[in-house]
Amino acid sequence: MLKWSVVGVVYVLALILLWVYSGQEGMQNRGFVVAGYGLTWGALLWYAFRLESRGRTTARAVESFEVAGAGD
Amino acid sequence: MGPRTTVEKTLGILALLSMLVGSYVGLVVVPADAAQGDVQRLMYVHVPAAWLAFMAFFIVFVMSVLYLIQRDARWDRVAASSAEIGVVFTVVTLLLGMMWGKPTWGVFWTWDPRLTTTAILLAIYVGYGALRSFADDEEKRARWSAIVGVIGFANVPIVYMSVTWWRTLHQPPSSPRSVAPDILWTLMLNLAAFTLVYAYLMVRRIRLAKLDGELEKRMAYNA
């Protein structure tokens, strides 16, 4: 959970930094460029963290069967 | 899912670093395209995402064939993992295409052959995922998925060739000879970064698939 928050904050800061930098450089269509890179990073990071979250949930479910089995 | 192994950690760090370097080079180092300007920088993520989607679905095809021949659940797990990651890359490809399409074509979306066949590709593999969630029996699910994985792959060469076969807004495929060296090496750098990301996600997704299989077995045993 903490990792999610840290990565989320870094991600937003990086987008702001890119927005400011591209403005200073006079980048044409900067909104589309920033949105495109932001979407790419956002989607890949979201999926990587989603995998970890699904993994934790499934591992807990498997463990709960182990505990139930040990009690039988 | 358990702690990451040293190989997984190394792969993850390499993927992250290469993506950072690739994005930095694509956004800052390489000069803007003479004709399209800065918006062409989207190519450095759009094209690798599309290539990786194709590769992911090729892996699904190969693993599906292997499953149908050998009936080994390992091939099914790899195919299912690659299909899911392929869907993520296809969504990224389509969204990036829309971001690039608006300033260059004037629209986010048009029913152009390349865009339409890519949307169909996405629908096929979203359907592949839906099919897997409908089937309860492990063997049936793997067999049906493998059949869809083999037939569905037929659309990949159609997507690739669509810009050659039909009149389309989308530019035809580029070759190393038709691209400036700066653009080419930046593209290759980002392609390597996306490949590392794919490899990392695959390793983690296959681990999750194994865990899902374990859970299903235990649930069936306790039922």
Side-chain angles (χ1 to χ4, degrees):
Chain A
M1 211 49 208
L2 177 70
K3 273 187 187 173
W4 243 124
S5 328
V6 172
V7 172
V9 170
V10 171
Y11 170 74
V12 172
L13 285 177
L15 278 184
I16 294 169
L17 189 68
L18 179 58
W19 183 254
V20 172
Y21 166 80
S22 56
Q24 283 176 346
E25 290 294 307
M27 190 183 272
Q28 311 134 336
N29 293 305
R30 68 197 266 244
F32 293 105
V33 176
V34 174
Y37 276 79
L39 273 170
T40 306
W41 274 87
L44 295 178
L45 285 172
W46 168 81
Y47 183 69
F49 276 94
R50 180 93 189 98
L51 275 185
E52 298 307 319
S53 163
R54 282 162 66 188
R56 278 195 300 273
T57 309
T58 313
R60 271 200 297 270
V62 171
E63 276 170 26
S64 71
F65 276 106
E66 278 170 8
V67 172
D72 290 341
Chain B
M1 199 146 51
R4 289 179 193 82
T5 62
T6 311
V7 173
E8 285 174 352
K9 275 184 194 165
T10 311
L11 197 55
I13 291 166
L14 278 177
L16 184 65
L17 287 179
S18 61
M19 280 294 288
L20 283 170
V21 172
S23 293
Y24 177 75
V25 172
L27 284 165
V28 179
V29 178
V30 74
D33 181 67
Q36 288 193 29
D38 287 300
V39 79
Q40 177 271 339
R41 294 180 192 279
L42 288 172
M43 185 181 84
Y44 305 124
V45 275
H46 174 68
V47 173
W51 284 354
L52 262 297
F54 287 170
M55 196 184 81
F57 297 141
F58 177 67
I59 300 286
V60 177
F61 170 75
V62 173
M63 293 300 135
S64 299
V65 170
L66 282 174
Y67 177 81
L68 290 172
I69 295 168
Q70 299 181 352
R71 303 288 161 137
D72 186 332
R74 279 179 305 174
W75 306 135
D76 176 57
R77 283 199 290 267
V78 178
S81 303
S82 194
E84 193 176 284
I85 297 167
V87 165
V88 175
F89 279 116
T90 309
V91 169
V92 169
T93 304
L94 283 172
L95 289 173
L96 285 169
M98 290 165 84
M99 293 294 118
W100 197 355
K102 180 65 178 167
T104 48
W105 302 340
V107 286
F108 281 110
W109 182 267
T110 178
W111 293 103
D112 165 273
R114 171 56 73 88
L115 275 64
T116 307
T117 50
T118 308
I120 293 169
L121 188 71
L122 178 63
I124 289 170
Y125 287 93
V126 168
Y128 174 98
L131 174 76
R132 295 189 68 85
S133 62
F134 291 145
D136 285 335
D137 181 71
E138 195 183 340
E139 201 280 324
K140 263 188 197 167
R141 176 176 58 212
R143 185 156 33 95
W144 292 350
S145 307
I147 292 165
V148 175
V150 171
I151 297 171
F153 184 72
N155 193 38
V156 170
I158 296 174
V159 175
Y160 184 76
M161 294 306 293
S162 60
V163 287
T164 312
W165 289 345
W166 296 293
R167 274 158 54 112
T168 165
L169 272 173
H170 198 283
Q171 69 177 65
S174 304
S175 74
R177 268 183 263 167
S178 65
V179 175
D182 278 354
I183 292 179
L184 183 65
W185 74 258
T186 308
L187 194 57
M188 289 300 133
L189 178 69
N190 276 283
L191 179 64
F194 272 68
T195 307
L196 285 168
V197 170
Y198 170 78
Y200 172 75
L201 292 176
M202 271 299 276
V203 169
R204 296 304 286 167
R205 182 61 184 81
I206 291 168
R207 275 247 242 171
L208 175 62
K210 273 186 201 167
L211 210 53
D212 279 335
E214 185 65 30
L215 181 62
E216 266 185 24
K217 272 184 199 156
R218 288 178 193 222
M219 284 170 78
Y221 180 75
N222 282 270

